[in-house]
């Protein structure tokens, strides 16, 4: 049983097989995946497969609204292992997130990001958390600013493998020191 994180309005908990219909409902919307670099889900079986593979890692959480029967409406996660395309040092992680369209602009992702950052530094002992957004994704940029991330570097040729595209991606970072300084 994985970790459960809690904020005023949200429960962040691991994804379960039975969440597949909710995941499909929000992740089939083409306003979500392509902005984050993945394809809209095409059917509920695909969503279930994503839960069993990509979401089965330790630090991936379903964003559930309190008082809404615990339905997951988005996802947030820390990737702890880098790749040649996206290198990470020891004790570094990359943050990713999205939330279903009906829930945009209510501060939910900012609230979730702040809690996951706290968890990353306090509980996991991370030294840096990186987070990217594709050029033009001003909502995501704003979330990162509100949570204390600072602009780090722009990758003019970021490969978005799943979409077969190359995009301009801006990377932000929050260090352990910055985090404890602004607390
Ligand atoms: C980006 C995303 C996660 C934001 O989630 P959210 O819960 O709506 O975010 P919040 O409500 O916490 O904050 C959004 C901020 O963006 C601002 N914003 C909204 N639309 C905007 C726009 N067109 N231009 C600039 N800022 C905008 C909001 O006003 C708010 O900032 P404020 O609190 O200073 O007013 C959500 O829109 C999403 O899932 N998008 C699709 C997937 C995606 O892009 N994921 C991130 C990949 S890097």
């Amino acid at each position: 049983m994985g970790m459960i994180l809690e904020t005023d309005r949200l429960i962040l908990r691991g994804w379960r097989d039975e969440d597949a219909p909710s995941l499909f409902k929000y992740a089939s919307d083409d306003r979500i995946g392509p902005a984050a670099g993945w394809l809209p889900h095409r059917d509920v079986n695909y969503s279930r497969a994503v839960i069993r593979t990509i979401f089965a890692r330790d630090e991936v959480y379903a964003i559930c609204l309190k008082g809404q029967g615990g339905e997951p409406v988005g996802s947030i996660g820390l990737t702890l292992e880098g790749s040649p395309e996206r290198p990470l040092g020891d004790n570094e992680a990359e943050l990713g997130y999205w939330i279903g369209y009906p829930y945009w602009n209510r501060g939910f992702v900012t609230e979730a990001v702040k809690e996951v950052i706290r968890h990353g530094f306090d509980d996991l002992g991370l030294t840096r958390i990186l987070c990217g957004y594709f050029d033009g994704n001003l909502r995501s940029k704003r979330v990162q600013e509100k949570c204390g991330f600072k602009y780090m570097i722009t990758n003019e040729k970021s490969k978005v493998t799943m979409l077969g595209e190359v995009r301009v991606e801006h990377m932000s970072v929050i260090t352990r020191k910055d985090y404890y300084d602004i607390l």
Side-chain angles (χ1 to χ4, degrees), residues 37-39 158-167:
W38 43 270
L39 287 164
S158 177
K159 280 190 193 139
V160 190
T161 315
M162 206 175 179
L163 303 179
E165 290 176 15
V166 173
R167 292 190 188 163

Side-chain angles (χ1 to χ4, degrees), residues 33-115:
W38 43 270
L39 287 164
H41 291 198
R42 53 183 180 268
D43 58 43
V44 75
N45 291 328
Y46 182 86
S47 298
R48 193 174 298 107
V50 167
I51 290 172
R52 290 180 179 175
T53 55
I54 300 165
F55 289 179
R57 289 180 287 122
D58 275 350
E59 294 299 331
V60 180
Y61 299 89
I63 301 175
C64 306
L65 304 186
K66 286 182 180 171
Q68 189 138 317
E71 187 198 13
V73 297
S75 191
I76 183 161
L78 290 169
T79 303
L80 301 167
E81 281 183 30
S83 62
E85 287 284 327
R86 306 186 77 82
L88 287 171
D90 287 345
N91 297 314
E92 292 185 349
E94 182 174 344
L95 175 69
Y97 46 73
W98 60 267
I99 195 162
Y101 183 69
Y103 304 98
W104 284 17
N105 293 329
R106 288 161 65 180
F108 287 131
V109 169
T110 298
E111 192 168 317
V113 168
K114 286 183 174 168
E115 174 56 14

